[in-house]
Amino acid sequence: MTKSKTPLPKIKGTFSTKLIQEIGTGTTKRKVIQSFLYFAEEKDNGEVGLRVLNENNVPTGEEQIISKEELLESFTPEVELYTSTVFPAIQKLNKSLAKADRQRKEGNTFTAEMEYGKALNIDEENIRANFGIGLCYLDRNEAEKATDIFSRLIDLDAAFESEHKHLFNDFGISLRKNKMFDKAVNFYSRAVGLTNDDENLYFNIARCLYEKNDLKEALKNAEKCLEINPDSNPAKKLKNYLSKKISG
């Protein structure tokens, strides 16, 4: 009986790469070597997600996907840097986020805002912190501050990735409850542009349009929801209601 092989641990750590550029011309021509640091994490499918490290040594910005072979060929592992600097910095960021999330769920929005602020000082593009602080503003009906966060989030593709879906949903619902219908529609529409096979997005757009009394557009979106999922009972009810309302 042969023993099954123990799977190798997934790659996770800090890697560096160098970029050599030639600048100048003629006698002034010279080579410049630039070094870049990344946080790399292997996915379940064997591909590797790369995110650049910011000045606070935490991964930030959009994730770049490369093969494991490309990582091992073109990047150098920085084990000591990860252990001594990057890992503790990530832990510090996650600690602030966890505390902020807990305070927000308990209704302590000012304390939560302060903790999300600490996280944003470490990584200003952190999706969880941006959503969290935006939800604090919406919970306190601070529309102007929430609008600033909305403008920041809607430009970040990562805000609409599946790992942030629950935060995305909470934010969209809070926009609607605060009667910020146009922003809620823009928010959901942005997500539709990235993934157009989610019936819930169309249903949420339909609800917002209905609440701002744009019944015909609301009906169109309810129908789009049903095209994707004909069994959606909330969309069926909304479609029937809107059809009757429009026909008089």
Side-chain angles (χ1 to χ4, degrees):
M1 186 175 178
T2 58
K3 289 184 179 180
S4 59
K5 289 184 179 179
T6 303
L8 293 172
K10 287 186 173 67
I11 293 170
K12 185 176 184 178
T14 303
F15 287 76
S16 66
T17 188
K18 289 181 171 60
L19 178 66
I20 301 173
Q21 290 183 311
E22 289 188 347
I23 62 171
T25 56
T27 56
T28 63
K29 192 174 183 180
R30 60 193 176 91
K31 288 182 179 179
V32 175
I33 301 175
Q34 288 181 294
S35 184
F36 298 91
L37 290 170
Y38 293 88
F39 174 74
E41 187 167 17
E42 186 178 345
K43 309 288 185 183
D44 288 338
N45 63 4
E47 293 180 325
V48 176
L50 276 186
R51 293 172 71 202
V52 69
L53 293 181
N54 68 10
E55 66 275 9
N56 295 312
N57 295 301
V58 296
T60 190
E62 298 291 328
E63 187 177 61
Q64 175 188 352
I65 302 296
I66 64 171
S67 67
K68 191 190 296 187
E69 290 73 24
E70 186 179 349
L71 178 76
L72 298 176
E73 285 174 11
S74 305
F75 294 79
T76 303
E78 303 288 349
V79 179
E80 186 178 344
L81 178 65
Y82 177 70
T83 305
S84 65
T85 305
V86 176
F87 181 67
I90 293 172
Q91 280 191 312
K92 182 180 177 183
L93 173 62
N94 288 337
K95 187 176 179 181
S96 286
L97 288 168
K99 186 175 179 181
D101 288 344
R102 186 170 63 252
Q103 292 294 328
R104 182 173 62 80
K105 286 173 184 174
E106 291 175 359
N108 304 320
T109 58
F110 287 104
T111 304
E113 180 188 346
M114 184 177 67
E115 291 299 327
Y116 285 127
K118 288 180 184 178
L120 290 172
N121 286 336
I122 299 171
D123 174 18
E124 64 180 12
E125 291 188 16
N126 187 275
I127 302 300
R128 190 168 149 196
N130 274 292
F131 269 128
I133 206 166
L135 286 165
C136 288
Y137 293 149
L138 288 168
D139 286 346
R140 301 201 302 260
N141 300 310
E142 295 182 16
E144 190 173 333
K145 288 183 177 180
T147 296
D148 289 340
I149 298 295
F150 165 83
S151 300
R152 188 185 305 172
L153 284 166
I154 205 165
D155 287 334
L156 298 174
D157 286 356
F160 303 95
E161 291 175 355
S162 57
E163 66 179 295
H164 303 300
K165 192 164 186 177
H166 69 290
L167 288 167
F168 162 83
N169 287 333
D170 287 349
F171 194 73
I173 290 167
S174 292
L175 286 170
R176 180 173 58 79
K177 286 182 176 178
N178 278 264
K179 302 190 183 302
M180 299 168 72
F181 302 125
D182 289 334
K183 285 185 171 51
V185 169
N186 288 341
F187 194 63
Y188 288 124
S189 298
R190 174 82 163 83
V192 166
L194 295 171
T195 170
N196 59 8
D197 60 350
D198 187 342
E199 75 269 16
N200 295 310
L201 294 174
Y202 290 107
F203 178 73
N204 287 329
I205 291 172
R207 281 201 65 178
C208 293
L209 290 167
Y210 160 67
E211 293 198 46
K212 62 176 288 196
N213 209 33
D214 191 345
L215 304 187
K216 289 183 179 178
E217 286 300 315
L219 179 59
K220 286 180 186 177
N221 281 277
E223 288 171 341
K224 285 179 182 176
C225 171
L226 290 167
E227 285 174 15
I228 299 170
N229 180 11
D231 297 324
S232 172
N233 286 324
K236 285 180 186 176
K237 289 178 182 178
L238 184 59
K239 180 189 173 182
N240 291 337
Y241 175 80
L242 289 168
S243 298
K244 291 176 183 176
K245 194 91 171 170
I246 291 168
S247 62

